[in-house]
Amino acid sequence: MPRWRTSTKDLVLTAVVTLLAFVPTVSHIGPEIGDLPRRPLGGAGTVVDLALTLALALPTALRRRWPAIGLTIIAAAWAAGQILGRPETFAKVAMLLALYAAGAHLTRHRRTFAAALTAGYVALAIVLHRQGSPQQFLDFTAFYLVLVVIWVTGAGMRRWRAEETEHRRLAAEVASSAERSRIARELHDVVTHHVTAMVVQADAAQFLLPGTPDRAAEGLSAISETGRRALTELRALLDTLEATGEPATPDRAPTMGRIADLVERARLTGQPVDWTEQGRPRPLPVDVELATYRVVQEALTNAIKYATGRPTTVVVRTKEDDVEIEVTTMGPATTTAVSPSGGRGLAGMRERVRLLDGELVSGLRPDGSFRVWAVLPARSPE
């Protein structure tokens, strides 16, 4: 709901208070402390009474959206009514409603506002005493304590709501953690089984086929090594899911220092890859290094899938304020991918980069090559 709009409940309450303000049978209901005689104002008396009544009743609509403003207007009208000894109206109850609402809904400068209200009440008590109010010091003190109790009651309700919100948040986190654990178990059961089977079969093939050509043996070794790396990273991901959603620890998460491994594994598949690292390497936040690694990984994966055998260049530039990644695959893509794709890779990378306040652009160039370019800030977002 926009800040300037008022809730339906407050509008209904305001309407009820305003209507009852003009009902004579309930006019005596409301907080009084001055007990001064009704001051005659001549022909202006009716206008003053109407103005004070409306000033007491109508700001009730602001009691939750702008509690400080609403209470200030109502308290000023109530104080003026105490000094003038008029009007007799039910609308004075709005002062108690606004005081409770301020205790419950005011979010900023609470102590300052409470101190200002106290100072205003002291000033009002002095004025009333000088004008001949029959109330004594203890009477003014007791009335003030009643007002304090109303404020404190509202503040207690505010604390209760905050605790209830925190309780719901914690319950949602527990439910989310349970869901992550369930997903982790499913991933473990489905993915790890097949990747492990792939590694075992690749290792077995090397022993069962002793006459395998060197290039085929290298391919089987690459399959085995890739599977083992996938299992290592998958276990790190599963640990993250089963824990609290915190990032994987730096020693288990892939970093920029391991981009050379990505390039070497791509070369083992037959993809010609040229890798260049520019700038002075320096320690970067783990999430930035991981995102850099993943961008290069996804770009090389796409090159192997859709442009098998095409020359690919990988350039990583480490600058003062950011890290720039550029992966370009020369020539047109092959018509058939070597493996199916769900089409989520680059979109996921773009989202990962965006969360770090970076940018990722990918697409075909005029010469038919495909380029993935990304820039990441050299620090994590606040």
Side-chain angles (χ1 to χ4, degrees), residues 211-332:
T212 303
D214 292 342
R215 188 167 183 80
E218 290 179 0
L220 291 172
S221 178
I223 293 173
S224 178
E225 180 63 22
T226 300
R228 287 188 172 88
R229 289 180 181 273
L231 285 172
T232 299
E233 294 183 17
L234 179 60
R235 291 189 182 103
L237 173 61
L238 296 180
D239 289 344
T240 300
L241 284 172
E242 287 187 313
T244 59
E246 296 177 354
T249 54
D251 58 331
R252 302 189 66 175
T255 58
M256 288 175 57
R258 295 174 59 184
I259 292 179
D261 297 338
L262 287 176
V263 173
E264 186 60 31
R265 292 201 298 273
R267 288 170 178 167
L268 289 176
T269 66
Q271 189 78 7
V273 181
D274 181 33
W275 179 46
T276 304
E277 188 174 15
Q278 300 176 0
R280 178 180 298 177
R282 67 180 190 276
L284 295 171
V286 175
D287 49 0
V288 174
E289 292 202 0
L290 178 58
T292 302
Y293 180 93
R294 293 302 187 198
V295 168
V296 175
Q297 183 182 48
E298 182 62 29
L300 288 178
T301 300
N302 283 343
I304 295 171
K305 284 182 178 180
Y306 302 110
T308 306
R310 302 289 183 179
T312 302
T313 60
V314 177
V315 180
V316 178
R317 303 181 183 92
T318 303
K319 303 179 182 179
E320 183 67 25
D321 298 323
D322 53 50
V323 178
E324 184 178 347
I325 308 107
E326 185 176 12
V327 182
T328 305
T329 303
M330 306 303 297

Side-chain angles (χ1 to χ4, degrees), residues 28-68:
H28 62 285
I29 300 176
E32 293 282 352
I33 186 61
D35 288 338
L36 293 176
R38 184 181 180 89
R39 179 175 297 183
L41 297 176
T46 303
V47 176
V48 171
D49 289 349
L50 178 61
L52 290 177
T53 299
L54 294 179
L56 285 165
L58 295 183
T60 304
L62 309 178
R63 69 188 196 96
R64 284 195 285 190
R65 285 294 173 185
W66 293 286

